[in-house]
Amino acid sequence: MLPADLHVHTEWSWDGYRGDMERSCEVALEVGLPAIAFTDHAEWNTVHEGQHSVDIAGYHECIERCRAKFKNLRILSGVEFGEPHWFPEEAAKVRAAGPLDRVLGSIHCIRLGGEPVDASQFRKRPEADHGPAIHEYLAETLRMVESDQQFQILAHLDYFKRYWPASLPPYRPEDYEERFRAILTAAQKRGTVLEINTTRGEDGGRRMCPDLTVLKWWHEVGGEAVSFGSDAHEPDKIAARFDLAQEMVEAAGFKPAPDPVAFWRR
Ligand SMILES: [Zn+2]
Ligand SMILES: [Zn+2]
C-alpha cells in the first residue's frame, strides 16, 4: 500500500491555480492512497505576483465538506509554513484557527541585502552569488529548526536544487555536508520528521528533495522518521513517483508503518 501523501496544495494556496481539493480526494481514491494531507501555503513574504497566505477559515470549511463527502479517505488538515520564525504572530493565528493534523516547516526565502529572495530566483543573480546564497539558505533552515516554531515535518530540505542553474557544476549535497548534518542533528533533537519531496523526482530519484545521500545522513544522525510528500499543486500530480521514493527510503534504513497515516520509522 502507498504511504499517505502528506504535502498537497489546493485552490486554497496562492499558487494553486489548478488546485482542487474535491478532485484531489477523488484522485487519491483512484490511485489507492489511504490518506492525504492538504497543506496549503501559510506564508507572509510577498516575493511573487499575487502571493498571499491561506484563508484559513475558508480552508477549514472546505476540509469539512470533503470529509463529509469522501468517507473512505482519511483527510488530514495542515499547512505549509514558509519561514514561520520570521512571522511568529501570524503563524500563531493560523494555528489557533482550527486543528491542524500535519504542519510542514519550509524555507523558500532567505534575506539577501536585507530583501527576501525566493530560492527560485537565485539563478537570476550573478553566478558568484550562488554558492553564498545556498549556504545562507541552509543557515536559515537551521535557524528555523532551532526556533520555537511548532512544526512536525521539515519539508523539501534542498528546495533550491529544483532551480539549479545548468551553467554551474551539478549540485552535490556532499559540498554542503557539514551544514546538512547540523540541520539534521538539530531536527533529530526536536523530534522532527524529514520529508521526501517527490516533485521533480524523475531521473532515478537523484532529484528527490532530499536524495538518498542526505537520507543516509538522516539515518546516521539518529533521525527517527520520514514522510512522503508530492507537493502536488494539481490533482493529477498526487503521489507522483512514490514508488521510487519508497525504494529510496527503505534503502536508507526506514521501514513502512503498519498504519498508513503514520510515518515510516527506522
Ligand atoms: Zn514549499
Ligand atoms: Zn508545498
Side-chain angles (χ1 to χ4, degrees), residues 16-261:
Y17 317 107
R18 297 195 206 94
D20 183 334
M21 196 186 287
E22 274 201 41
R23 178 67 194 138
S24 297
C25 293
E26 288 169 10
V27 172
L29 289 168
E30 284 163 25
V31 302
L33 271 184
I36 190 168
F38 294 115
T39 52
D40 286 298
H41 287 297
E43 58 187 16
W44 297 273
N45 282 303
T46 50
V47 296
H48 303 289
E49 186 80 30
Q51 189 170 14
H52 60 82
S53 188
V54 61
D55 162 8
I56 194 70
Y59 163 89
H60 277 298
E61 282 169 27
C62 193
I63 287 274
E64 289 312 319
R65 278 199 302 279
C66 285
R67 281 177 175 158
K69 190 165 174 183
F70 301 96
K71 296 220 187 312
N72 296 335
L73 179 66
R74 287 167 82 175
I75 299 172
L76 306 180
S77 61
V79 291
E80 177 182 9
F81 278 128
E83 301 82 48
H85 56 309
W86 295 5
F87 303 97
E89 286 172 19
E90 290 87 343
K93 276 185 199 155
V94 166
R95 279 195 295 269
L100 297 169
D101 301 314
R102 295 288 180 271
V103 175
L104 312 182
S106 291
I107 297 293
H108 301 116
C109 289
I110 59 167
R111 290 194 182 100
L112 290 177
E115 290 295 309
V117 177
D118 190 283
S120 62
Q121 301 167 324
F122 290 175
R123 57 190 163 179
K124 295 178 190 156
R125 305 174 75 89
E127 266 185 17
D129 294 353
H130 196 261
I134 301 304
H135 279 285
E136 178 55 22
Y137 180 95
L138 294 170
E140 196 62 63
T141 304
L142 182 59
R143 288 194 276 272
M144 177 178 74
V145 171
E146 288 182 334
S147 77
D148 58 4
Q149 282 300 305
Q150 297 160 32
F151 62 89
Q152 188 177 28
I153 298 170
L154 179 58
H156 53 53
L157 177 58
D158 48 8
Y159 165 72
F160 54 81
K161 86 171 168 190
R162 293 183 186 171
Y163 310 105
W164 197 263
S167 58
L168 291 179
Y171 167 62
R172 295 172 63 246
E174 292 87 345
D175 295 338
Y176 307 93
E177 180 169 351
E178 216 171 298
R179 289 218 183 258
F180 278 120
R181 284 187 181 273
I183 296 167
L184 295 170
T185 302
Q188 188 273 338
K189 265 192 209 140
R190 63 177 274 171
T192 302
V193 176
L194 185 68
E195 174 190 84
I196 305 306
N197 190 294
T198 65
T199 297
R200 297 174 176 77
E202 65 277 0
D203 197 16
R206 278 186 298 131
R207 299 182 71 197
M208 300 273 180
C209 279
D211 71 1
L212 182 58
T213 304
V214 178
L215 203 48
K216 284 182 175 164
W217 295 339
W218 179 232
H219 195 270
E220 277 174 35
V221 304
E224 283 294 331
V226 171
S227 73
F228 296 84
S230 65
D231 212 350
H233 283 66
E234 54 189 291
D236 290 346
K237 301 265 171 77
I238 287 166
R241 305 180 191 91
F242 269 28
D243 48 345
L244 208 57
Q246 287 177 90
E247 276 174 30
M248 200 176 85
V249 170
E250 281 197 88
F254 296 89
K255 297 180 197 71
D259 176 350
V261 177

